[in-house]
Amino acid sequence: MLLSKTLVRPVSRNADTPDDRAALQTAADLIRRGGLVVFPTETVYGLGANGLDENAARAIYAAKGRPQNNPLILHLSDASEIPLYCDVPEKIKPLLEKLTSLMPAPLTVILPAKPVVPKTITAGLPNVAVRVPTSKIARELIRLAGVPIAAPSANLSGKPSPTCARHVLQDMDGRADMVLDGGDCTYGVESTIITLCEEFPTLLRPGGVTFEQLDGLLGEVHMSHAVLESLKPGEAVLSPGMMYKHYAPARPVELIKGDRAKGIAYVNECAKEQAAAVLCYDADAPQIKAKAVLHAGGDDNTGAYAARIFTMLRDTDSLDVDKVYAFLPKDTSGISLAVYNRLLRAAGFHVKEF
Ligand code: TXA
Ligand code: MG
């Protein structure tokens, strides 16, 4: 049992028991009254508020310590609601239709915003991000609230996104009115973000819906260079979230790329000098001689690494170590691109290559 100042209620994955209904109704009432409710999605936990209420949205920024110029995603219970909040020019209709055929999904689409969307949500941009989560708990909450729910990840700004209620409470206890505890999130990394507001559909953040999937579906998809490269000082970005240091644990992180045997030898050498935590593939774990070894799963299954990445990064905060080392996936295909992108940001692009 979690002891907390914020009301915490368990909800089962299918959101269909009488207790689930009661918890969801309480949460939906809170949202309608302008409150903040943390809810699980298939990606990470979200800090939700009424997406049509300026004041409720402002409370999200305050609770997270989020910069005012970083806009929020509007969560909808069904893709048919997209035209209520977005203007869809004829030119992009066929592309949007293809994307909605995937929904619900861990996918966020950026489209021109209708005037009904508060400026606090878009941070004054002409576009709004919309997403229909796969999670039944999330969609049921939105349906019962009867309004779109604005929700960033439920972490303090800059910290790794929470993928379980324990991590939510580390950051949000006393800051949110209620937490719906739906257990561990399936994907563990935030939704894929694609914008249809550029000349070509452009991937802004990789996630569970892969670049290859989108490219196959839409014909030609570009990738923002900010997915794998650091920004130059003052450089303009398509997604304000790209400007900030993100996902960083308390200790500095160094990434290991390339030849694994050489990488292991390097980490073991470093770990003689300092207390280190190492995030590595299961098969390599027995060879690593460090104070803490955290298992990222098999190297043929980066989905497991994705599901654990934020948990592992957060858990290093409670270890008595000076430095964190993490092995990068061997390539950037499929979900590996998302793991790569999050690790690069957590490490401030500090990579040692062999
Ligand atoms: O999986 C997810 O997307 C989770 C769950 C809770 O749904 N949400 C999430 O929200 O990751 P957040 O706020 O942590 O990340 C949203 C990203 C930010 O980088 C933000 O800058 C970008 O989306 N974004 C939001 N609205 C945008 C817009 N209108 N134009 C460009 N980027 C936008
Ligand atoms: Mg976030």
Side-chain angles (χ1 to χ4, degrees), residues 312-349:
M312 292 190 292
L313 288 173
R314 237 175 216 273
D315 285 347
T316 63
D317 285 359
S318 52
L319 298 171
D320 184 19
V321 294
D322 304 313
K323 179 105 185 240
V324 176
Y325 295 89
F327 283 80
L328 280 164
K330 58 179 179 294
D331 60 33
T332 54
S333 66
I335 187 90
S336 296
L337 183 63
V339 174
Y340 223 96
N341 166 271
R342 303 315 190 270
L343 282 173
L344 283 173
R345 293 178 159 267
F349 293 84

Side-chain angles (χ1 to χ4, degrees), residues 115-138:
V116 64
V117 180
K119 292 273 172 279
T120 326
I121 302 296
T122 59
L125 295 174
N127 310 319
V128 62
V130 288
R131 134 163 165 82
V132 182
T134 316
S135 159
K136 281 197 183 146
I137 300 173

Side-chain angles (χ1 to χ4, degrees), residues 100-160:
T100 54
S101 74
L102 299 175
M103 295 179 188
L107 177 68
T108 296
V109 186
I110 295 180
L111 292 162
K114 281 205 162 147
V116 64
V117 180
K119 292 273 172 279
T120 326
I121 302 296
T122 59
L125 295 174
N127 310 319
V128 62
V130 288
R131 134 163 165 82
V132 182
T134 316
S135 159
K136 281 197 183 146
I137 300 173
R139 274 185 290 136
E140 199 49 18
L141 175 65
I142 303 162
R143 197 185 64 77
L144 287 171
V147 288
I149 295 186
S153 48
N155 49 282
L156 289 174
S157 201
K159 286 276 160 202

Side-chain angles (χ1 to χ4, degrees), residues 79 82 93-103 105 107-111 194-196 201 209 214 217-218:
I82 291 176
K93 265 192 185 143
L95 296 172
L96 181 61
E97 252 164 49
K98 287 182 182 164
L99 291 178
T100 54
S101 74
L102 299 175
M103 295 179 188
L107 177 68
T108 296
V109 186
I110 295 180
L111 292 162
I194 186 167
T195 178
L196 296 184
V209 173
L214 293 170
L217 185 70
L218 302 181

